[in-house]
Amino acid sequence: MTAPKETFLADYQVPAYLIESVDLRFALAAAQTRVVSKMQIQGNPAGSGGDLALDGEHIELVSVKLDGRVLAGNEYQRSDTGLLITHVPERFTLEIETLIQPDKNTALEGLYHSGSLLCTQCEAQGFRRITYYPDRPDVMAVFTVTLEADKTLFPILLANGNLMVRGEASDGKHWAKWHDPHPKPSYLFALVAGDLHCQQDSFTTQNGREVALEIYVDHENSHKCDHALRSLKQAMTWDEETYRREYDLDVFMIVAVNDFNMGAMENKGLNIFNASCVLASPETATDDDYYTIQSIVGHEYFHNWSGNRVTCRDWFQLSLKEGFTVLRDQQFSADMNSEVVQRIGDVNQLRIMQFAEDAGPMAHPVRPASFIEISNFYTVTIYEKGAEVVGMLKTLVGNAGFRKGTDLYFDRHDGQAVTTDDFVAAIEAANDVDLTQFKRWYSQAGTPVVTVKGDYDATRERYTLTLSQSCPATPDQTEKAPFHIPVTVGLLDKSGQVMPLQLEGEVAEEPTDSRTLELRDAAAEFTFINVSSEPVPSLLQGFSAPVKLVAQQDNDTLAFLMAHDSDNFNRWDAGQTLSINILLGLVADYQQQRALAVPELLLTQIAAVFVLAESDPALVSRMLILPSENYLAAQQKVADVDGIHAARTHLRKTIAQRFKAEFEALYQSLNTQKKYDFNADDMAQRDLKNVCLAYLMATGDPMQTQRCLKQMKQANNMTDRMAGLRLIADQAGPERETALRSFYEQWQHDRQVVDKWLTVQAQSNLPDTLIRIKGLLKHPAVSMTNPNNVRALIGQFCRNNPVNFHAKDGSGYAFLAEQICQLDDLNPQVAARQMGALGAWRQYDAERQALMKQALQTIADKKSLSKDVYEIVTKYLADK
Ligand code: PHE
Ligand code: ZN
């Protein structure tokens, strides 16, 4: 095949034509939909003029009219990717009629059919599958949309903005006309038609605007909207209080759809959500689901300002809206729940997923320089690292300074399509700081390594921290210039008390308990004065920068920090580092066929953790969970999947047996039959209870299986039921089959629960897992065209089941290759997203490397590969 074209940031040019307004008329039907688009177009004074180029794919052109005159075939050129209209005037009206087939659309981009619904997904480049249009975010137009459809099949007709009029038509049809007064790029366009339940509420903004809130779901899910609605109101209030952002239309709608490529989409006034990110009831959703729903509802709502009112100039700026909005949703979740739990979760995800991306063949900067398929760049780097970068800006200028900066950003750029440079410029201007060097975080890929050395001078009572930085090469960038890195530190004395900090050479300010040091050079020294005894440093508090810290702290020091650090995040982190050290030691024992010996030091520290169970159950459960197998694998030169699994299992069992009495007592005290409520305290208690249950299971005591079954039977909520099922699914025996079967029988009518049932089976460490998955792919409840099913079975197996996915015989790899080839014909975006598990092939032993490469080659050899999969497979195979 001919290599698909690469797009470069450096080639950016302003649009030649601008669209003032567009009037869209849809005659909707699942088999064929007719679209008439009437655009008011004018030359861009800043542009280069010339021919008018419109994007368009997978659509049938019926006619083109310019200022009312039908164009002859020689007045335009059509290709697979668009339409070129030659000799256009300065200002004109263009009317284009096209036909599309929603029924045949399994890519779920553009207009498609999901269940009995018709809905759209346009980000990033889906609008071009609906009509010919300049489908780029810097073309912003006012949209008016008229939908016409069968009244019985599609009683609900929704589009962006406010409803203007609706009416009856002939042949059992009806119509609705929507108008969105805010100019927007085409990627924010949306429509929905279907037979849906509408859950209504309202919100009054700080300036008294009455907003109707509407959540649309399948009728059978009408009782599952309350949590999303409550989250939406929390988000609206929070954004007014925290960022002074107010909503700007008369109605805010959320629609839940069953087939969706991502989590959710922030279309103006009409958010479309994956049903799994909206629907919740205590009986069917876990605490994690509740938590995710709250954060995604917040995320999409926050986009109304960070993304919609101020949008991206081009797709290289994707993190402008995503990084900032993720930071906003993280702050929101922290404020609604627990700050430290939120931070631990975010850092864990960043380290496990983003550090791996940065270390692999798809590494790219927060602002990439090129792409083949933009859908491949909705990554943890753009989202999560992007959020860390904005978070560092906040740390550097302080909370008040950051708010001044974001106020200025929103004021300056309201209604514009801008760049990450514009964002940084607003922070600079509002705070009178120079962030030129800081901007390297946007342009340089890779995870910096920060090395720290401490030196105490007892006679002069001085303590010097020497910080140095380096960053490994990434595929397109061998040389890296130093980053501007905020490193927040504290000092503890030998009894664990924080010591007041005063830097040498600074005008004596009030000494503080923690300080943010700014590392700008390859290396720098920071000297604290009046340090009366040798301190233990607490480094990178709150994970103040997305870096790998090399602090050469021995296990005793880590144990001390785990017990005493004044920063709770760092207590957890010290425990994780200590556990990693010990686990890697156990892997070495395993490799050398020695008995696995767990050092007493760790067990002593764990004993101390139990003391906090009552005062801070959330922190305790975080501290009791060992680092994941994937993260451990990333710490090794050559990842030893089996050794890691053996070591981690052994450590879990050792902890379980040593503290069996403690786990028992805690489980009993936490296992109350309280009515389910979603709040941080109750969630922390359920979480800790289920961590205890998992350890009790790890003792190997058969009684505990009965306890899991009992919990499943008696639970009044899905969190506890799933915790039981997950443990049982990981243990061979007759109970497993019975539990899985009866669980399915009970919940087969609920898609979200069925996906959980698939997930626990895909994640099971038992050796029959792949066979089971292959069977499940033929299960009547499973469809390869449903992304949630694919993610639950294939995604979970490949990403979160390392022992089975990396089976020595290569069966996991071959399975994935085969699935990707099938998926690629149905849904390229979803296919490409499953590739991740093969990206780190360099990390494994020679035999596995060969097998992984063979799987990649199978994919590369497939005929008519999508751009999506092509880009990833070529980058993976080119890894050196
Ligand atoms: N913009 C969406 C979000 O982050 C994600 C998304 C991207 C959804 C592309 C669909 C398609 O909120
Ligand atoms: Zn987003």
Side-chain angles (χ1 to χ4, degrees):
M1 85 187 264
T2 52
K5 184 169 133 277
E6 196 162 358
T7 307
F8 293 90
L9 168 60
D11 293 344
Y12 174 82
Q13 291 196 326
V14 298
Y17 292 88
L18 300 175
I19 315 265
E20 256 159 63
S21 62
V22 50
D23 186 25
L24 288 165
R25 285 155 200 276
F26 288 84
L28 291 163
Q32 178 163 286
T33 288
R34 182 174 299 270
V35 186
V36 178
S37 159
K38 198 169 180 179
M39 296 164 273
Q40 302 301 331
I41 305 183
Q42 66 174 98
N44 182 359
S48 56
D51 299 340
L52 172 71
L54 302 176
D55 303 295
E57 286 170 11
H58 307 276
I59 46 184
E60 191 183 319
L61 179 64
V62 179
S63 67
V64 190
K65 283 187 210 164
L66 200 151
D67 286 332
R69 182 178 68 84
V70 178
L71 294 189
N74 62 358
E75 293 179 278
Y76 56 86
Q77 292 158 29
R78 256 165 86 189
S79 74
D80 282 354
T81 57
L83 194 64
L84 193 74
I85 303 177
T86 44
H87 310 297
V88 294
E90 243 324 279
R91 289 184 76 91
F92 56 102
T93 306
L94 194 68
E95 187 175 312
I96 300 183
E97 185 172 335
T98 47
L99 293 172
I100 41 184
Q101 298 177 311
D103 251 353
K104 300 229 167 81
N105 183 349
T106 54
L108 313 185
E109 271 189 287
L111 178 67
Y112 66 93
H113 206 186
S114 170
S116 59
L117 274 187
L118 283 172
C119 65
T120 54
Q121 174 51 47
C122 292
E123 186 176 4
Q125 301 182 327
F127 193 72
R128 61 187 65 185
R129 290 167 181 248
I130 294 175
T131 184
Y132 289 100
Y133 196 80
D135 191 13
R136 44 186 289 169
D138 55 356
V139 172
M140 300 171 83
V142 173
F143 281 65
T144 305
V145 178
T146 308
L147 307 173
E148 188 188 72
D150 184 279
K151 200 175 169 173
T152 353
L153 292 175
F154 304 107
I156 302 279
L157 299 173
L158 310 175
N160 314 89
N162 301 317
L163 178 67
M164 308 307 289
V165 266
R166 48 187 306 159
E168 305 282 324
S170 55
D171 312 337
K173 297 213 163 81
H174 69 147
W175 57 272
K177 183 172 180 177
W178 292 80
H179 178 76
D180 179 3
H182 301 281
K184 66 167 172 291
S186 51
Y187 84 87
L188 290 173
F189 166 82
L191 75 78
V192 172
D195 185 0
L196 295 163
H197 164 81
C198 172
Q199 186 86 2
Q200 278 183 311
D201 205 331
S202 67
F203 183 85
T204 310
T205 70
Q206 59 191 359
N207 288 315
R209 179 192 278 270
E210 279 295 321
V211 182
L213 309 180
E214 302 180 345
I215 301 198
Y216 291 88
V217 299
D218 286 339
H219 289 286
E220 74 222 41
N221 294 323
S222 58
H223 60 295
K224 293 192 194 170
C225 302
D226 295 348
H227 178 60
L229 209 39
R230 180 163 76 129
S231 304
L232 176 59
K233 289 185 280 183
Q234 288 172 332
M236 294 177 88
T237 307
W238 184 88
D239 213 15
E240 290 185 351
E241 287 171 356
T242 317
Y243 284 91
R244 199 171 39 84
R245 299 296 114 200
E246 185 175 342
Y247 190 61
D248 53 8
L249 287 166
D250 303 336
V251 58
F252 185 86
M253 299 172 278
I254 289 179
V255 182
V257 308
N258 290 320
D259 303 276
F260 200 73
N261 284 345
M262 308 280 272
M265 179 62 213
E266 70 265 24
N267 317 297
K268 184 79 188 189
L270 178 58
N271 287 188
I272 297 183
F273 271 59
N274 188 321
S276 69
C277 301
V278 186
L279 303 175
S281 71
E283 291 71 39
T284 59
T286 62
D287 285 335
D288 285 348
D289 296 327
Y290 271 80
Y291 201 92
T292 306
I293 291 167
Q294 184 183 49
S295 99
I296 299 189
V297 167
H299 179 100
E300 305 311 330
Y301 175 74
F302 302 144
H303 268 315
N304 190 55
W305 276 95
S306 48
N308 300 3
R309 288 289 287 256
V310 183
T311 196
C312 303
R313 187 192 73 172
D314 56 72
W315 291 116
F316 298 102
Q317 318 298 327
L318 181 56
S319 195
L320 172 76
K321 73 177 177 81
E322 295 305 347
F324 185 24
T325 305
V326 170
L327 178 81
R328 278 151 57 66
D329 84 51
Q330 292 174 346
Q331 287 181 275
F332 169 62
S333 291
D335 287 351
M336 294 297 119
N337 303 290
S338 146
E339 191 176 339
V340 66
V341 171
Q342 176 67 28
R343 192 65 188 138
I344 289 170
D346 291 338
V347 172
N348 240 337
Q349 189 194 5
L350 190 85
R351 283 181 174 155
I352 296 170
M353 313 266 295
Q354 200 280 324
F355 283 13
E357 186 163 272
D358 249 352
M362 268 294 284
H364 55 274
V366 170
R367 185 192 57 213
S370 74
F371 60 74
I372 290 178
E373 171 53 62
I374 184 57
S375 301
N376 287 331
F377 287 80
Y378 286 76
T379 60
V380 277
T381 299
I382 302 296
Y383 277 68
E384 273 69 29
K385 186 174 179 179
E388 293 298 321
V389 170
V390 181
M392 284 190 285
L393 286 171
K394 181 161 168 281
T395 302
L396 287 170
V397 300
N399 289 343
F402 185 67
R403 169 63 192 272
K404 275 197 278 172
T406 58
D407 281 353
L408 180 62
Y409 168 71
F410 289 123
D411 286 347
R412 262 191 190 173
H413 298 297
D414 190 7
Q416 298 176 0
V418 302
T419 63
T420 54
D421 284 342
D422 293 321
F423 183 81
V424 176
I427 307 284
E428 281 180 317
N431 292 281
D432 197 18
V433 288
D434 180 354
L435 296 165
T436 312
Q437 184 190 0
F438 183 85
K439 287 200 277 188
R440 289 181 187 149
W441 283 107
Y442 287 96
S443 58
Q444 295 188 146
T447 308
V449 177
V450 172
T451 306
V452 185
K453 286 203 185 70
D455 184 41
Y456 183 58
D457 181 341
T459 41
R460 298 169 67 199
E461 299 201 326
R462 291 155 57 97
Y463 183 70
T464 302
L465 282 174
T466 306
L467 307 188
S468 55
Q469 60 167 307
S470 65
C471 182
T474 49
D476 301 323
Q477 293 171 329
T478 41
E479 294 302 317
K480 313 274 178 183
F483 291 87
H484 178 181
I485 307 176
V487 182
T488 304
V489 303
L491 298 179
L492 303 177
D493 69 16
K494 285 279 163 327
S495 68
Q497 293 299 308
V498 282
M499 302 171 91
L501 303 181
Q502 210 169 343
L503 275 173
E504 181 190 40
E506 233 178 28
V507 224
E509 278 177 46
E510 274 289 284
T512 53
D513 290 351
S514 87
R515 283 289 304 240
T516 298
L517 309 176
E518 297 187 29
L519 175 61
R520 292 163 175 273
D521 300 314
E525 284 188 356
F526 299 88
T527 298
F528 296 98
I529 52 173
N530 305 327
V531 184
S532 53
S533 63
E534 177 160 16
V536 176
S538 161
L539 303 165
L540 204 69
Q541 291 187 335
F543 198 67
S544 60
V547 300
K548 289 182 188 164
L549 184 72
V550 179
Q552 284 138 350
Q553 286 168 320
D554 59 18
N555 284 353
D556 288 322
T557 308
L558 290 167
F560 173 85
L561 289 168
M562 184 178 171
H564 298 293
D565 203 314
S566 54
D567 179 52
N568 272 343
F569 173 85
N570 269 18
R571 286 184 76 170
W572 168 80
D573 204 21
Q576 293 288 298
T577 310
L578 177 60
S579 306
I580 291 171
N581 291 347
I582 285 166
L583 282 160
L584 293 178
L586 296 178
V587 178
D589 289 342
Y590 173 89
Q591 290 170 340
Q592 286 149 39
Q593 296 172 348
R594 288 192 299 252
L596 309 192
V598 176
E600 263 316 297
L601 178 69
L602 180 64
L603 299 171
T604 316
Q605 285 322 114
I606 289 174
V609 167
F610 283 101
V611 179
L612 295 170
E614 214 163 310
S615 62
D616 198 347
L619 187 62
V620 172
S621 51
R622 296 301 96 192
M623 290 185 80
L624 288 172
I625 296 173
L626 299 176
S628 72
E629 293 183 16
N630 284 334
Y631 190 54
L632 289 163
Q635 312 308 311
Q636 294 190 298
K637 261 215 136 57
V638 178
D640 178 355
V641 226
D642 298 316
I644 288 171
H645 185 64
R648 196 172 180 278
T649 307
H650 178 78
L651 180 54
R652 281 175 57 74
K653 187 164 185 172
T654 307
I655 296 171
Q657 287 173 337
R658 171 71 67 94
F659 299 106
K660 189 169 182 196
E662 284 82 351
F663 287 123
E664 267 291 343
L666 254 182
Y667 180 85
Q668 305 248 1
S669 74
L670 294 166
N671 190 29
T672 58
Q673 279 297 315
K674 213 168 167 183
K675 185 168 174 293
Y676 181 88
D677 183 48
F678 176 71
N679 63 62
D681 289 343
D682 287 8
M683 200 168 27
Q685 293 193 354
R686 279 187 292 270
D687 191 26
L688 182 54
K689 172 180 71 185
N690 288 318
V691 168
C692 291
L693 184 62
Y695 273 110
L696 289 168
M697 272 299 258
T699 58
D701 166 9
M703 282 284 298
Q704 304 303 334
T705 309
Q706 297 313 311
R707 173 174 267 158
C708 278
L709 290 169
K710 191 168 153 205
Q711 175 166 317
M712 284 181 67
K713 199 178 270 145
Q714 294 183 345
N716 63 7
N717 64 79
M718 189 50 87
T719 307
D720 289 343
R721 230 177 264 130
M722 276 313 295
L725 184 67
R726 193 173 304 118
L727 293 167
I728 297 214
D730 231 5
Q731 186 177 277
E735 293 90 354
R736 181 194 194 207
E737 301 315 314
T738 328
L740 284 167
R741 198 173 323 113
S742 66
F743 186 91
Y744 179 75
E745 271 160 24
Q746 189 178 356
W747 300 104
Q748 56 183 308
H749 302 296
D750 190 297
R751 287 166 167 276
Q752 274 67 50
V753 183
V754 170
D755 283 330
K756 292 184 218 309
W757 176 77
L758 297 172
T759 297
V760 292
Q761 296 179 79
Q763 289 179 342
S764 169
N765 286 151
L766 295 176
D768 68 346
T769 296
L770 183 56
I771 298 169
R772 192 176 271 274
I773 291 176
K774 288 181 176 169
L776 285 168
L777 282 168
K778 301 198 188 86
H779 192 283
V782 173
S783 161
M784 287 286 272
T785 58
N786 178 264
N788 288 359
N789 287 171
V790 171
R791 285 185 279 255
L793 271 181
I794 303 169
Q796 290 298 335
F797 174 71
C798 299
R799 234 190 306 273
N800 290 326
N801 196 342
V803 262
N804 278 313
F805 176 66
H806 292 283
K808 252 195 152 60
D809 61 2
S811 51
Y813 310 143
F815 167 73
L816 180 56
E818 187 193 333
Q819 296 305 316
I820 286 176
C821 290
Q822 284 183 33
L823 274 170
D824 191 46
D825 291 328
L826 295 170
N827 188 328
Q829 274 187 30
V830 170
R833 288 195 158 262
Q834 305 310 314
M835 297 275 303
L838 292 167
W841 63 271
R842 283 272 170 216
Q843 267 206 306
Y844 295 88
D845 54 76
E847 293 79 38
R848 284 188 173 91
Q849 283 198 11
L851 293 163
M852 289 173 95
K853 274 181 85 167
Q854 193 182 320
L856 287 167
Q857 199 56 55
T858 308
I859 298 168
D861 290 345
K862 175 186 172 275
K863 279 203 279 299
S864 69
L865 206 56
S866 67
K867 279 207 297 189
D868 310 60
V869 173
Y870 170 88
E871 177 170 34
I872 294 182
V873 80
T874 14
K875 286 184 180 165
Y876 284 3
L877 282 169
D879 191 17
K880 283 187 282 306

